Structure formats: C-alpha cells, structure tokens
C-alpha cells in the first residue's frame, strides 16, 4: 500500500480578498464564500470514505483559514479520522509588521518573494526558499510518520509549491520560472512509490496523480486572483 498525500487548499479567506490591507500577519479566517467552498470540498471528500481506501488522518496548518476549512472537512469525514495540527504547515513567516512581504512597494526586495527566493522580504521574515524548505520537510515528515497511509493535508496554495519543489527536487530559484496555480479548496494528489529497478532511488519516487482539481466548485467560483 503506497503512501499518499492529498493536498487541499483552504477556502477563500478575508486576507485573500483584502490582500495587502492586513499587515499584522494574523489571519482573519474564511469569508462566507470560503465556508461554502469548504462545505463543498468536505462533501466531496466524504464520498471517498466509502471507497476501498479511506483517509487515515488529516494534517492541517495552524493558520486560522486552514483550521476553519479543516473543521468542515473533519465534520464530514467523521470521528474515525485523526486530526492533527502541524506547525510546519503554516504560511511563510512575515516578520516585522508594516512591511508586507508580497508588496514590492514596501518590502525589502522590490519584487515578490518567489522572484528573489533567497532574501527575506521583511525584517525577521522568512525567505521564499526558506519557506519551501521548511514546508517541504514537513510534508516528508508527515509521509514518514504515516507510512502506507492516505493523509489529507489542509494548508495553503504555497504548500503545493513546496510539494512540487521538494518531491521533484527542483533547484533553488526554480520558482522564477515555474509554479502551480491552485484554486481555493482544490485538491492535488501525490503518491510515494518504490521501484525495484536498478538505479531507482531507495527513498522512492513521488508520482503526481492530479493537480488543482476544483471540479466540486461551481464554475463562477473558480478563480486564480483571490
């Protein structure tokens, strides 16, 4: 039985709608639309629990928008599934208040973090590459702690980027030319396989099963901008 991670982005959050207005780094949770999106993905995931391979655990970011999304999903999946907050899945650390890391006009790098990945965009903040490394190590740790299990990871759009960089072993700076676009509550699946063939890495190979599956959302709700 192969280890499988199913990544879920949180529902639309207040901070997504009012993007550069929140400089405190304190998430304000889901919008009404975000809660509706979380209900839709929860209903979809609940159907998988009746299949041949249900989820064994939910690991989620401690950031409020991910916590609220997890609450919808956990209620739908039932008490059988273990729910665990994992600090390493949190969003990138923003550092000092007043300098938004994603605003080129006020941050220290004059661009968005993925285009200057090794420099912290705000005092005391986390560089983009530092975030990718930390989040990626966390995903590998989850896979190691839940071997031969199917784990739901409720986190952020950036978590899909860290999965891609970590599992594909992309070089530092690869975010300058490639990144995944992830809708709110979209699903992305990865499976860890071990090949007996000569030359195969004994640590295994990560297979990308699907990316940004948001088919549970009504067409008007699909968006990249928020």
């Amino acid at each position: 039985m192969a280890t499988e991670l199913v990544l879920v982005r949180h529902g639309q959050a207040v901070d997504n709608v009012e993007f550069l207005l929140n400089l405190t780094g304190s998430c304000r949770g889901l919008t009404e639309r975000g809660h509706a999106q979380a209900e839709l993905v929860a209903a979809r995931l609940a159907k998988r629990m009746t299949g041949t391979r249900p989820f064994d655990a939910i690991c989620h970011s401690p950031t409020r928008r991910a916590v609220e999304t997890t609450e919808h999903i956990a209620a739908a999946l039932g008490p059988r599934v273990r729910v665990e907050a994992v600090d390493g899945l949190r969003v990138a650390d923003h550092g000092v208040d007043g300098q938004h890391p994603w605003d080129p006009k006020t941050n220290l790098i004059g661009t968005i973090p993925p285009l200057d990945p090794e420099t912290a965009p705000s005092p005391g903040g986390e560089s983009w590459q530092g975030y990718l490394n930390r989040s990626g190590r966390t995903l590998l740790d989850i896979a190691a702690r839940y071997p031969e299990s199917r784990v739901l990871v409720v986190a952020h759009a950036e978590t899909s980027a860290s999965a891609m960089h970590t599992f594909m072993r992309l070089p530092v700076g690869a975010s300058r030319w490639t990144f995944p676009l992830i809708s709110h509550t979209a699903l992305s699946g990865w499976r860890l396989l071990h090949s007996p063939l000569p030359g195969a890495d004994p640590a295994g190979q990560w297979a990308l099963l699907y990316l940004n599956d948001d088919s549970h959302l009504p067409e008007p709700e699909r968006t990249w901008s928020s």
Side-chain angles (χ1 to χ4, degrees):
M1 190 77 72
T3 304
E4 187 174 320
L5 300 183
V6 178
L7 276 55
V8 187
R9 186 186 180 187
H10 59 78
Q12 184 194 67
V14 175
D15 291 350
N16 298 133
V17 177
E18 302 176 9
F19 182 46
L20 293 178
L21 299 182
N22 179 28
L23 300 180
T24 67
S26 178
C27 177
R28 292 169 289 173
L30 299 180
T31 63
E32 182 178 347
R33 177 177 171 184
H35 282 288
Q37 292 170 334
E39 280 292 301
L40 289 171
V41 75
R44 180 180 181 186
L45 292 168
K47 292 181 180 179
R48 295 195 182 187
M49 296 301 291
T50 62
T52 57
R53 195 176 187 197
F55 292 104
D56 298 287
I58 303 173
C59 294
H60 66 86
S61 161
T63 306
R64 179 177 170 183
R65 52 189 178 269
V67 171
E68 292 182 0
T69 302
T70 300
E71 289 171 351
H72 288 278
I73 294 172
L77 299 192
R80 173 193 170 280
V81 182
R82 177 180 178 180
V83 179
E84 175 187 357
V86 180
D87 185 65
L89 292 174
R90 69 187 186 278
V91 292
D93 298 327
H94 286 186
V96 176
D97 294 346
Q99 289 187 301
H100 199 294
W102 289 89
D103 182 8
K105 296 180 181 179
T106 64
N107 67 23
L108 301 179
I109 57 178
T111 187
I112 61 174
L115 299 183
D116 188 2
E118 295 183 273
T119 306
S122 56
E126 192 172 31
S127 72
W128 178 246
Q129 191 62 46
Y131 164 76
L132 293 177
N133 293 343
R134 182 253 294 169
S135 179
R137 285 194 303 268
T138 301
L139 292 173
L140 291 175
D141 177 66
I142 291 171
R145 290 192 294 109
Y146 291 96
E148 300 184 352
S149 300
R150 195 180 205 194
V151 181
L152 200 62
V153 177
V154 184
H156 308 275
E158 297 92 333
T159 312
S160 288
S162 66
M164 184 176 70
H165 279 255
T166 301
F167 299 158
M168 294 183 174
R169 303 185 189 184
L170 298 181
V172 172
S175 55
R176 292 188 178 97
W177 61 83
T178 185
F179 63 94
L181 285 171
I182 307 296
S183 303
H184 290 112
T185 68
L187 307 175
S188 301
W190 293 86
R191 183 176 294 160
L192 180 59
L193 302 173
H194 294 273
S195 172
L197 296 175
D201 190 329
Q205 297 170 299
W206 284 95
L208 178 60
L209 306 177
Y210 47 90
L211 182 71
N212 195 43
D213 182 352
D214 62 357
S215 56
H216 52 278
L217 296 180
E219 189 68 29
E221 293 193 0
R222 297 189 187 184
T223 176
W224 310 122
S225 61
S226 61

